[in-house]
Amino acid sequence: MEHLDDLERQEMWKAIQDALLNDHIDQFRAEFLELHPYDQARIFEEMDQEVRLQIYTYLSPEEIAEVMEHIDYEDIEPFFAEMDPRFAAQVFAEMSTDDAVDILNELDKEKVASFLTIMDDEAAEEIKDLLHYEEKTGGSIMTTEFVVVKAGMKIREAMLHLRKEAPDAETIYYTYVINEDKQLVGVISLRDLIISEEEWLISDVMNERVVSVSVGEDQEEIARMMRDYDFLALPVVDFQDHLLGIITVDDIMDVMEEEASDDYSKLAGISDVESTDENAFQSAKKRLPWLIILLFLGSFTASLIGRFEETLDKVAILAIFIPLIAGMAGNTGTQALAVAVRGIATGDIDKQGKWKMILKEAGTGLITGISCGLLITIIVYLWQSNFYLGLLVGLSVALTLVVATLAGSLVPIIMHRFNIDPAVASGPFITTINDIISILIYFGMATAFMNLLI
Ligand code: ATP
Ligand code: MG
């Protein structure tokens, strides 16, 4: 209910509850159905089970289907479990097939089979066909509710056909044109249909150069195409160009959200996507391997500092700047990493060229390095009244920022090159690598210019 303001929400909520409490079916329907299905779903989720059972008897499968389409797939199982199985099967049949398939994919196989047997044949067949496709491919996110016409139809016939098909179609904005063999040969937008003369043929006005995606195509790639071409829907074909389904832009928005959260979890060193309902042990099991590897790397960093013990003994003040320099390296590395991973994920890097991006990062590192280096030189000088110490810290920060920025962008690009998912070049790793680099630079220079410091 986040999108309705609080007062509205309270009033609506009260009216709906009153109606339910007093068994006023008509009043409940009037209040509830006036809301957008998104808001209906939010109210629905907050209800007690008892009340929801009451609601199932007040609303039709079609009306419940709309509510279900606006609930997260991961949270939906309990609702279908509490419905009468016959009612649940009807709800599935009323949903758009792509949404129904997404939800059924979350349930266990036996339950799915039992729903499909109760469902009417036509709906069951459509759903069964879609259940076969591999997860995260065009086939798994497409829907089969699209409108097709033949190239030889007159515009008038096509309009009549469209009018008849419209109630069940996922979108009516594009009508696809197929030949005798059901191969995709053209597309025509609603705008084009409306402005054409009734006597014209579809083949006269259709667009023959149709952009399509194949059923096996990765959903991330499809999202990219949708963005590049700006279409509201894309047709899905098999390898012989048979039209199998369409993917609409609203499905693509879900894909983008899913892929983004995938990438960010990996960035944070969390393998797979941790869902919020995992218990502490399950989460710990996923994160521990990473943390243990990082622990070893961290010990290596510590032993590295140990090697400069002699330098540290002579100039103990050096120690207080370790966290500062290592921290700056980590910060800039993570920034560069995030930019690189996003560029790889969106495909922008391939388009603009890796070298251009690396060069740009080097430039950024240089500018930020010189600025921060100068600043810290002045600060350390004023604070410790030791010019050479200030210079050392400043130079270290400057050099470290250049190298760390480069590392942050190079590591994911190299991983990508070797077909390792760049998002696993996670933040903690870059941070640790940059710790090592920064300490080497800092103590290396301190050791070399020792006589200036004492
Ligand atoms: P315009 O942007 O030109 O005003 P529009 O807003 O009516 O057109 P868009 O969604 O922008 O429609 O689609 C532009 C054109 O692209 C339409 O003429 C439509 O026929 C065509 N089109 C739609 N889908 C595809 C596709 N998959 N491949 C090629 N062309 C397509
Ligand atoms: Mg347009």
Side-chain angles (χ1 to χ4, degrees):
M1 291 285 290
E2 305 101 75
H3 301 329
L4 287 177
D5 76 41
D6 272 351
L7 205 68
E8 274 180 300
R9 167 205 166 112
Q10 271 172 11
E11 276 173 18
M12 220 118 43
W13 184 239
K14 220 182 140 303
I16 288 170
Q17 266 180 332
D18 278 352
L20 284 168
L21 218 62
N22 300 319
D23 266 339
H24 288 156
I25 301 187
D26 292 335
Q27 192 198 336
F28 168 77
R29 288 178 54 85
E31 295 283 346
F32 191 74
L33 293 176
E34 196 177 321
L35 295 171
H36 186 280
Y38 173 84
D39 297 319
Q40 293 176 353
R42 300 294 76 75
I43 290 190
F44 186 82
E45 282 179 319
E46 283 177 37
M47 301 267 183
D48 292 333
Q49 180 175 23
E50 244 174 282
V51 185
R52 285 199 304 266
L53 292 179
Q54 194 183 350
I55 293 179
Y56 297 138
T57 64
Y58 286 4
L59 297 178
S60 69
E62 197 177 349
E63 286 155 352
I64 289 287
E66 289 227 44
V67 178
M68 292 297 144
E69 283 176 13
H70 287 86
I71 292 178
D72 270 354
Y73 306 140
E74 292 88 27
D75 306 333
I76 216 166
E77 213 247 278
F79 302 132
F80 281 100
E82 70 192 14
M83 286 179 211
D84 173 86
R86 267 168 210 290
F87 186 78
Q90 281 175 305
V91 172
F92 276 123
E94 293 293 345
M95 293 176 78
S96 22
T97 31
D98 55 341
D99 288 326
V101 167
D102 285 337
I103 294 168
L104 287 168
N105 268 324
E106 300 282 321
L107 308 184
D108 55 273
K109 292 222 160 54
E110 277 166 51
K111 277 220 191 91
V112 176
S114 74
F115 281 136
L116 289 176
T117 22
I118 315 178
M119 220 178 280
D120 81 70
D121 285 347
E122 200 186 329
E125 278 314 313
E126 270 182 38
I127 289 178
K128 260 189 241 167
D129 283 345
L130 286 182
L131 277 172
H132 289 309
Y133 294 109
E134 204 178 322
E135 242 192 295
K136 301 194 172 192
T137 61
S140 74
I141 53 172
M142 72 186 186
T143 181
T144 45
E145 285 124 347
F146 52 84
V147 187
V148 288
V149 294
K150 298 271 167 60
M153 275 190 184
K154 292 223 168 98
I155 297 291
R156 180 172 2 93
E157 292 172 80
M159 293 279 270
L160 281 175
H161 178 70
L162 180 59
R163 190 175 290 171
K164 199 167 95 249
E165 297 286 313
D168 289 326
E170 182 83 15
T171 175
I172 53 162
Y173 199 66
Y174 302 130
T175 297
Y176 297 98
V177 188
I178 54 173
N179 64 15
E180 294 305 321
D181 297 326
K182 296 213 164 80
Q183 283 163 317
L184 179 64
V185 292
V187 58
I188 177 166
S189 73
L190 186 60
R191 189 201 302 268
D192 296 334
L193 268 180
I194 291 173
I195 60 177
S196 300
E197 297 289 334
E198 293 205 318
E199 292 306 311
W200 291 354
L201 289 177
I202 288 288
S203 54
D204 295 334
V205 277
M206 73 184 187
N207 183 350
E208 284 172 54
R209 260 192 264 137
V210 194
V211 180
S212 61
V213 298
S214 86
V215 264
E217 187 68 84
D218 188 83
Q219 61 177 15
E220 237 181 316
E221 179 58 33
I222 298 174
R224 220 170 281 157
M225 285 180 66
M226 188 78 91
R227 186 198 62 192
D228 290 346
Y229 284 99
D230 277 341
F231 293 136
L232 302 172
L234 276 173
V236 181
V237 295
D238 63 13
F239 63 99
Q240 287 173 317
D241 261 351
H242 296 117
L243 180 58
L244 301 178
I246 60 166
I247 296 171
T248 47
V249 69
D250 52 323
D251 300 319
I252 289 303
M253 279 157 66
D254 295 340
V255 167
M256 286 179 349
E257 189 186 318
E258 193 182 311
E259 298 283 345
S261 75
D262 263 12
D263 287 346
Y264 280 107
S265 303
K266 289 186 202 148
L267 200 63
I270 309 169
S271 41
D272 295 334
V273 188
E274 262 179 43
S275 63
T276 30
D277 51 46
E278 267 177 6
N279 68 32
F281 281 107
Q282 288 165 326
S283 294
K285 204 177 123 200
K286 284 186 181 165
R287 294 185 205 176
L288 253 183
W290 290 89
L291 290 175
I292 290 175
I293 296 173
L294 292 167
L295 202 64
F296 276 105
L297 276 172
S299 320
F300 178 68
T301 320
S303 80
L304 208 62
I305 299 180
R307 286 180 167 255
F308 292 102
E309 209 182 328
E310 207 181 313
T311 314
L312 256 177
D313 268 351
K314 287 187 191 146
V315 196
I317 191 88
L318 286 176
I320 67 172
F321 296 107
I322 297 177
L324 184 142
I325 293 172
M328 289 301 285
N331 298 342
T332 189
T334 323
Q335 289 172 334
L337 173 76
V339 174
V341 168
R342 191 182 53 203
I344 291 169
T346 56
D348 285 348
I349 283 197
D350 291 326
K351 238 185 285 166
Q352 294 168 5
K354 295 182 199 45
W355 290 112
K356 209 176 138 196
M357 141 114 197
I358 292 170
L359 218 66
K360 195 208 89 194
E361 286 297 329
T364 311
L366 208 63
I367 297 168
T368 53
I370 291 173
S371 319
C372 292
L374 266 176
L375 201 63
I376 195 70
T377 305
I378 297 169
I379 293 174
V380 173
Y381 174 60
L382 292 179
W383 175 27
Q384 298 289 334
S385 346
N386 181 341
F387 174 70
Y388 286 113
L389 182 65
L391 197 62
L392 171 73
V393 176
L395 266 176
S396 302
V397 166
L399 257 178
T400 297
L401 284 192
V402 177
V403 181
T405 308
L406 268 180
S409 62
L410 270 178
V411 170
I413 289 177
I414 292 170
M415 290 213 161
H416 181 52
R417 177 70 187 271
F418 288 101
N419 279 333
I420 305 170
D421 187 340
V424 289
S426 41
F429 254 112
I430 289 289
T431 317
T432 313
I433 291 175
N434 283 345
D435 276 353
I436 297 174
I437 296 174
S438 57
I439 282 164
L440 276 178
I441 291 177
Y442 180 47
F443 280 106
M445 290 207 301
T447 312
F449 301 108
M450 179 62 87
N451 43 359
L452 291 176
L453 288 171
I454 320 181

mmCIF file of all heavy atoms in Angstrom, residues 173-174 187-189 191-192 207 209-211 231 234-235, ligand 1:
data_model
loop_
_atom_site.group_PDB
_atom_site.id
_atom_site.type_symbol
_atom_site.label_atom_id
_atom_site.label_comp_id
_atom_site.label_asym_id
_atom_site.label_seq_id
_atom_site.Cartn_x
_atom_site.Cartn_y
_atom_site.Cartn_z
ATOM 1 N N TYR A 173 -1.162 -3.652 -29.033
ATOM 2 C CA TYR A 173 -0.508 -2.566 -29.735
ATOM 3 C C TYR A 173 0.187 -3.058 -31.001
ATOM 4 O O TYR A 173 0.244 -2.352 -31.989
ATOM 5 C CB TYR A 173 0.479 -1.837 -28.819
ATOM 6 C CG TYR A 173 0.783 -0.498 -29.384
ATOM 7 C CD1 TYR A 173 -0.233 0.467 -29.464
ATOM 8 C CD2 TYR A 173 2.017 -0.205 -29.926
ATOM 9 C CE1 TYR A 173 0.004 1.682 -30.054
ATOM 10 C CE2 TYR A 173 2.250 1.021 -30.515
ATOM 11 C CZ TYR A 173 1.245 1.956 -30.572
ATOM 12 O OH TYR A 173 1.469 3.161 -31.178
ATOM 13 N N TYR A 174 0.708 -4.268 -30.975
ATOM 14 C CA TYR A 174 1.303 -4.836 -32.193
ATOM 15 C C TYR A 174 0.521 -6.072 -32.617
ATOM 16 O O TYR A 174 0.207 -6.921 -31.795
ATOM 17 C CB TYR A 174 2.758 -5.263 -31.952
ATOM 18 C CG TYR A 174 3.654 -4.150 -31.482
ATOM 19 C CD1 TYR A 174 4.454 -4.326 -30.365
ATOM 20 C CD2 TYR A 174 3.695 -2.932 -32.141
ATOM 21 C CE1 TYR A 174 5.288 -3.310 -29.916
ATOM 22 C CE2 TYR A 174 4.520 -1.914 -31.703
ATOM 23 C CZ TYR A 174 5.304 -2.107 -30.592
ATOM 24 O OH TYR A 174 6.125 -1.107 -30.150
ATOM 25 N N VAL A 187 4.949 -7.204 -39.091
ATOM 26 C CA VAL A 187 4.325 -6.659 -37.884
ATOM 27 C C VAL A 187 3.638 -5.359 -38.267
ATOM 28 O O VAL A 187 4.061 -4.659 -39.206
ATOM 29 C CB VAL A 187 5.382 -6.419 -36.776
ATOM 30 C CG1 VAL A 187 6.461 -5.477 -37.266
ATOM 31 C CG2 VAL A 187 4.739 -5.839 -35.527
ATOM 32 N N ILE A 188 2.542 -5.071 -37.570
ATOM 33 C CA ILE A 188 1.840 -3.813 -37.845
ATOM 34 C C ILE A 188 1.349 -3.246 -36.514
ATOM 35 O O ILE A 188 0.827 -3.992 -35.679
ATOM 36 C CB ILE A 188 0.700 -4.038 -38.852
ATOM 37 C CG1 ILE A 188 -0.084 -2.770 -39.087
ATOM 38 C CG2 ILE A 188 -0.225 -5.149 -38.432
ATOM 39 C CD1 ILE A 188 -0.971 -2.874 -40.306
ATOM 40 N N SER A 189 1.569 -1.963 -36.302
ATOM 41 C CA SER A 189 1.169 -1.394 -35.013
ATOM 42 C C SER A 189 -0.289 -0.941 -35.075
ATOM 43 O O SER A 189 -0.841 -0.747 -36.156
ATOM 44 C CB SER A 189 2.060 -0.217 -34.646
ATOM 45 O OG SER A 189 1.754 0.902 -35.441
ATOM 46 N N ARG A 191 -1.458 1.830 -34.352
ATOM 47 C CA ARG A 191 -1.513 3.132 -35.001
ATOM 48 C C ARG A 191 -1.597 2.988 -36.527
ATOM 49 O O ARG A 191 -2.437 3.609 -37.169
ATOM 50 C CB ARG A 191 -0.276 3.950 -34.621
ATOM 51 C CG ARG A 191 -0.327 5.384 -35.071
ATOM 52 C CD ARG A 191 1.064 5.998 -35.148
ATOM 53 N NE ARG A 191 1.797 5.964 -33.901
ATOM 54 C CZ ARG A 191 1.774 6.957 -32.997
ATOM 55 N NH1 ARG A 191 1.067 8.037 -33.219
ATOM 56 N NH2 ARG A 191 2.462 6.860 -31.888
ATOM 57 N N ASP A 192 -0.747 2.115 -37.062
ATOM 58 C CA ASP A 192 -0.762 1.898 -38.514
ATOM 59 C C ASP A 192 -2.095 1.323 -38.986
ATOM 60 O O ASP A 192 -2.610 1.684 -40.045
ATOM 61 C CB ASP A 192 0.368 0.948 -38.928
ATOM 62 C CG ASP A 192 1.738 1.543 -38.637
ATOM 63 O OD1 ASP A 192 1.831 2.787 -38.605
ATOM 64 O OD2 ASP A 192 2.688 0.775 -38.420
ATOM 65 N N ASN A 207 5.212 -3.997 -41.637
ATOM 66 C CA ASN A 207 6.645 -3.815 -41.613
ATOM 67 C C ASN A 207 7.288 -5.201 -41.742
ATOM 68 O O ASN A 207 7.058 -6.074 -40.920
ATOM 69 C CB ASN A 207 7.016 -3.163 -40.278
ATOM 70 C CG ASN A 207 8.474 -2.852 -40.174
ATOM 71 O OD1 ASN A 207 9.265 -3.284 -41.013
ATOM 72 N ND2 ASN A 207 8.845 -2.112 -39.143
ATOM 73 N N ARG A 209 10.545 -6.022 -42.002
ATOM 74 C CA ARG A 209 11.803 -6.298 -41.288
ATOM 75 C C ARG A 209 11.536 -6.381 -39.805
ATOM 76 O O ARG A 209 11.663 -5.410 -39.073
ATOM 77 C CB ARG A 209 12.830 -5.224 -41.604
ATOM 78 C CG ARG A 209 13.802 -5.736 -42.660
ATOM 79 C CD ARG A 209 14.988 -4.854 -42.819
ATOM 80 N NE ARG A 209 14.767 -3.934 -43.920
ATOM 81 C CZ ARG A 209 15.071 -2.662 -43.883
ATOM 82 N NH1 ARG A 209 15.572 -2.122 -42.801
ATOM 83 N NH2 ARG A 209 14.845 -1.890 -44.928
ATOM 84 N N VAL A 210 11.122 -7.561 -39.378
ATOM 85 C CA VAL A 210 10.712 -7.730 -37.987
ATOM 86 C C VAL A 210 11.910 -8.093 -37.110
ATOM 87 O O VAL A 210 12.669 -8.995 -37.453
ATOM 88 C CB VAL A 210 9.663 -8.850 -37.841
ATOM 89 C CG1 VAL A 210 9.016 -8.769 -36.473
ATOM 90 C CG2 VAL A 210 8.643 -8.759 -38.930
ATOM 91 N N VAL A 211 12.043 -7.372 -36.020
ATOM 92 C CA VAL A 211 13.056 -7.732 -35.031
ATOM 93 C C VAL A 211 12.451 -8.791 -34.123
ATOM 94 O O VAL A 211 11.366 -8.585 -33.581
ATOM 95 C CB VAL A 211 13.443 -6.501 -34.187
ATOM 96 C CG1 VAL A 211 14.498 -6.878 -33.158
ATOM 97 C CG2 VAL A 211 13.915 -5.386 -35.084
ATOM 98 N N PHE A 231 10.734 -1.001 -28.427
ATOM 99 C CA PHE A 231 9.418 -1.572 -28.701
ATOM 100 C C PHE A 231 8.712 -1.884 -27.391
ATOM 101 O O PHE A 231 9.333 -2.054 -26.360
ATOM 102 C CB PHE A 231 9.536 -2.859 -29.517
ATOM 103 C CG PHE A 231 10.045 -2.639 -30.907
ATOM 104 C CD1 PHE A 231 11.006 -3.480 -31.443
ATOM 105 C CD2 PHE A 231 9.560 -1.594 -31.685
ATOM 106 C CE1 PHE A 231 11.481 -3.288 -32.727
ATOM 107 C CE2 PHE A 231 10.031 -1.392 -32.968
ATOM 108 C CZ PHE A 231 10.994 -2.237 -33.491
ATOM 109 N N LEU A 234 8.272 -7.740 -27.992
ATOM 110 C CA LEU A 234 9.120 -8.379 -29.003
ATOM 111 C C LEU A 234 8.572 -9.779 -29.268
ATOM 112 O O LEU A 234 8.194 -10.486 -28.330
ATOM 113 C CB LEU A 234 10.561 -8.501 -28.501
ATOM 114 C CG LEU A 234 11.472 -7.293 -28.660
ATOM 115 C CD1 LEU A 234 12.800 -7.541 -27.955
ATOM 116 C CD2 LEU A 234 11.702 -6.969 -30.133
ATOM 117 N N PRO A 235 8.535 -10.181 -30.548
ATOM 118 C CA PRO A 235 8.065 -11.538 -30.845
ATOM 119 C C PRO A 235 9.167 -12.566 -30.590
ATOM 120 O O PRO A 235 10.349 -12.271 -30.746
ATOM 121 C CB PRO A 235 7.731 -11.465 -32.343
ATOM 122 C CG PRO A 235 8.573 -10.365 -32.876
ATOM 123 C CD PRO A 235 8.822 -9.392 -31.765
HETATM 124 P P1 ATP B 1 6.358 5.774 -33.960
HETATM 125 O O1 ATP B 1 7.383 5.655 -32.871
HETATM 126 O O2 ATP B 1 6.973 5.726 -35.327
HETATM 127 O O3 ATP B 1 5.447 6.930 -33.754
HETATM 128 P P2 ATP B 1 4.526 3.993 -32.744
HETATM 129 O O4 ATP B 1 4.733 4.785 -31.540
HETATM 130 O O5 ATP B 1 3.169 3.815 -33.283
HETATM 131 O O6 ATP B 1 5.455 4.469 -33.920
HETATM 132 P P3 ATP B 1 6.372 2.039 -31.851
HETATM 133 O O7 ATP B 1 6.068 1.173 -30.698
HETATM 134 O O8 ATP B 1 7.317 3.150 -31.626
HETATM 135 O O9 ATP B 1 5.002 2.539 -32.459
HETATM 136 O O10 ATP B 1 6.834 1.145 -33.051
HETATM 137 C C1 ATP B 1 7.338 1.756 -34.206
HETATM 138 C C2 ATP B 1 7.148 0.889 -35.429
HETATM 139 O O11 ATP B 1 7.853 -0.312 -35.258
HETATM 140 C C3 ATP B 1 5.709 0.505 -35.722
HETATM 141 O O12 ATP B 1 5.410 0.913 -37.016
HETATM 142 C C4 ATP B 1 5.676 -0.994 -35.638
HETATM 143 O O13 ATP B 1 4.959 -1.554 -36.716
HETATM 144 C C5 ATP B 1 7.109 -1.407 -35.768
HETATM 145 N N1 ATP B 1 7.433 -2.599 -34.984
HETATM 146 C C6 ATP B 1 6.859 -3.065 -33.860
HETATM 147 N N2 ATP B 1 7.413 -4.196 -33.424
HETATM 148 C C7 ATP B 1 8.406 -4.460 -34.272
HETATM 149 C C8 ATP B 1 9.369 -5.513 -34.384
HETATM 150 N N3 ATP B 1 9.419 -6.515 -33.508
HETATM 151 N N4 ATP B 1 10.246 -5.451 -35.402
HETATM 152 C C9 ATP B 1 10.222 -4.429 -36.295
HETATM 153 N N5 ATP B 1 9.338 -3.438 -36.266
HETATM 154 C C10 ATP B 1 8.437 -3.444 -35.283
#
